[in-house]
Amino acid sequence: MSVEREAEFDICYWLDVGDVIVDIAPGWENFAQENNAPDLDTRRVIGRNLMNFVEGDVTRMYVRTLIQSARLLRKPLVRAYRCDSPDQRRFMEMRLSLERSGLLRWEHRLLRSEPLARRLQFHATSPVLRPHGVVRCSMCNRLKSSHGWTEPDLTEIPETVHDGAIPVIYGVCPNCLSSLPKKTPR
Ligand SMILES: [Zn+2]
């Protein structure tokens, strides 16, 4: 019987109690290079609060709740999410575990990917600038339009696209919000 090899968690960083990124495992550089994100250089990331890298009020609330739950649960918290590239649907998994040192270990791995029907690029905007802007779910990467939350390559984008990038407001869709761990009883 053949067993498919599990994908490794190739991105890993540690947060202190104040959510400051205190260390990053090797492998991060490849990720930053592949994503053409020189501002994600480890030297510029270590020492900064994770929330500086999270776009959107609802997404920040979501991430804070995940972190709190992982610290309370005392067992690894695993969540599926999407981190699409312009051409690919990328199905990811994250795992948060509290280490004995008190640091929170946050790992990510790619489970599988498949091509998108069309190339899509996004850049973050704010609801203040664009009150009727397209909302992109930070967790499942679906877009909200008049037809509800749909796959990005199946969503009609009403807005004019500049430089090929679609301005989006980052949020979390109701489906992903409902997957948040419920508050643990005291
Ligand atoms: Zn979602």
Side-chain angles (χ1 to χ4, degrees), residues 49-117:
N49 194 293
L50 178 78
M51 292 302 158
N52 290 327
F53 303 97
V54 181
E55 292 280 356
D57 291 343
V58 182
T59 308
R60 277 192 284 272
M61 183 279 287
Y62 183 95
V63 169
R64 277 201 192 96
T65 309
L66 266 191
I67 290 174
Q68 284 171 2
S69 306
R71 288 207 171 108
L72 289 170
L73 270 177
R74 307 274 163 172
K75 62 172 184 177
L77 181 65
V78 178
R79 280 285 175 281
Y81 72 103
R82 286 259 297 274
C83 183
D84 291 0
S85 70
D87 303 301
Q88 301 277 322
R89 261 183 265 283
R90 287 157 45 91
F91 296 86
M92 309 280 301
E93 190 177 77
M94 60 170 82
R95 184 169 71 184
L96 294 82
S97 20
L98 187 67
E99 295 196 330
R100 279 164 184 270
S101 60
L103 296 179
L104 189 68
R105 179 191 181 99
W106 200 327
E107 300 164 289
H108 304 257
R109 65 176 175 175
L110 175 67
L111 297 176
R112 65 189 174 90
S113 63
E114 61 185 41
L116 284 159

Side-chain angles (χ1 to χ4, degrees), residues 121-141:
Q121 270 182 293
F122 301 98
H123 76 82
T125 186
S126 77
V128 179
L129 289 174
R130 292 172 192 271
H132 305 293
V134 176
V135 181
R136 186 185 194 208
C137 177
S138 303
M139 296 305 294
C140 68
N141 284 187

